[in-house]
Amino acid sequence: MAPKAIIAPSILSADFAQLGADCVRTMEQGADWLHVDIMDGHFVPNITFGAPVVAKVRKHVDKPTGKYGRGTFDCHMMIAEPKKWVREFQKAGCDLYCFHYEAAFSSAAESPEAKTDAKTSPKELIRYIHDLGLLAGIALKPMTGVEVLTDILESADEKERPDMVLIMTVEPGFGGQKFMASELPKVQALREKYPELNIEVDGGLGPATIGQAADAGANVIVAGSAVFGAQDPAQVISVLRDTVNQKSGRL
């Protein structure tokens, strides 16, 4: 049986003029996590916000009391040099630091100011994130094959294995894009091979597409405009959760 459904509304679709209040309201409406999209204008063409904004929002939302708990800040790091920013986001209140596989062969520097010619790797970066007390996620863009994760997910060292895999169902960089069902075979392959793995999908998710994602085996659902733009966000969150749990046999 797949892990339980986790609904993680993307705050990229919230009202930035009242971001803290919007995040509190979304949690009250039934969200489990908050998905925090960090974009640097290099790895992706768009720019969102950084650690100072995350720290301000953290003051409005209680930290989770346990692993994968309610209130988890799921920080999706669409940035070119992810290792440089782990400590900054840890201090800001991040709980799960999810970097892109495609960016994980970059600088091994451990702060934004530091410089080094040394390069990190996905396993080294996951270990580093775990050593700092955070959960680690690894994300794949649509053009990246899921087979690149096999060696990482099957590492003999638990500290080198991610807590979650994120399969992008749009090209990362902008909200409101059309759902790419072509990416769901990646989710299915992962679920068949790793039944207990948290598998997240992000991009174009809502009531019209959740059935396909749930059928493939996704259990962590990111939805932005489908939640924040809904007439009844609580009802949308409930539909997303119930669909996932029904497909996995939990309901």
Side-chain angles (χ1 to χ4, degrees), residues 206-212:
T209 53
I210 185 59
Q212 297 174 70

Side-chain angles (χ1 to χ4, degrees), residues 11-202:
I11 68 172
L12 190 62
S13 295
D15 182 349
F16 279 23
Q18 52 177 11
L19 188 54
D22 260 19
C23 290
V24 170
R25 187 179 306 112
T26 300
M27 295 303 299
E28 291 173 346
Q29 290 164 340
D32 300 297
W33 296 358
L34 291 176
H35 187 79
V36 183
D37 286 309
I38 307 298
M39 306 181 194
D40 66 355
H42 296 283
F43 182 73
V44 293
N46 200 8
I47 297 174
T48 53
F49 48 82
V53 172
V54 175
K56 292 293 185 183
V57 177
R58 181 82 273 179
K59 293 177 181 179
H60 294 264
V61 180
D62 290 340
K63 289 276 285 182
T65 56
K67 190 176 183 181
Y68 309 124
R70 192 167 182 274
T72 290
F73 276 19
D74 166 25
C75 292
H76 178 195
M77 308 303 295
M78 288 168 275
I79 63 176
E81 296 181 315
K83 190 171 185 181
K84 285 187 175 184
W85 293 96
V86 180
R87 286 187 185 274
E88 292 297 313
F89 278 84
Q90 177 207 36
K91 290 186 285 186
C94 168
D95 303 293
L96 192 160
Y97 191 93
C98 183
F99 64 91
H100 268 265
Y101 172 86
E102 301 87 358
F105 303 90
S106 57
S107 173
E110 297 181 3
S111 71
E113 307 83 21
K115 297 186 183 300
T116 178
D117 292 331
K119 302 296 183 183
T120 189
S121 70
K123 287 183 182 179
E124 290 169 5
L125 187 46
I126 292 167
R127 171 181 285 278
Y128 179 68
I129 294 165
H130 283 151
D131 284 346
L132 288 177
L134 299 176
L135 298 173
I138 187 166
L140 295 184
K141 295 171 72 172
M143 292 299 291
T144 304
V146 72
E147 65 277 358
V148 301
L149 296 179
T150 302
D151 182 58
I152 301 165
L153 288 166
E154 297 181 7
S155 172
D157 188 338
E158 185 178 5
K159 278 201 167 185
E160 295 179 347
R161 299 197 297 267
D163 302 288
M164 184 187 78
V165 170
L166 165 55
I167 300 298
M168 293 299 299
T169 47
V170 297
E171 286 292 341
F174 293 91
Q177 296 183 63
K178 186 178 178 181
F179 178 71
M180 295 172 63
S182 59
E183 301 312 297
L184 293 180
K186 297 178 185 177
V187 175
Q188 187 174 5
L190 288 170
R191 179 58 66 215
E192 289 174 356
K193 200 168 185 181
Y194 310 103
E196 302 301 318
L197 179 66
N198 279 307
I199 304 173
E200 182 173 58
V201 284
D202 177 10

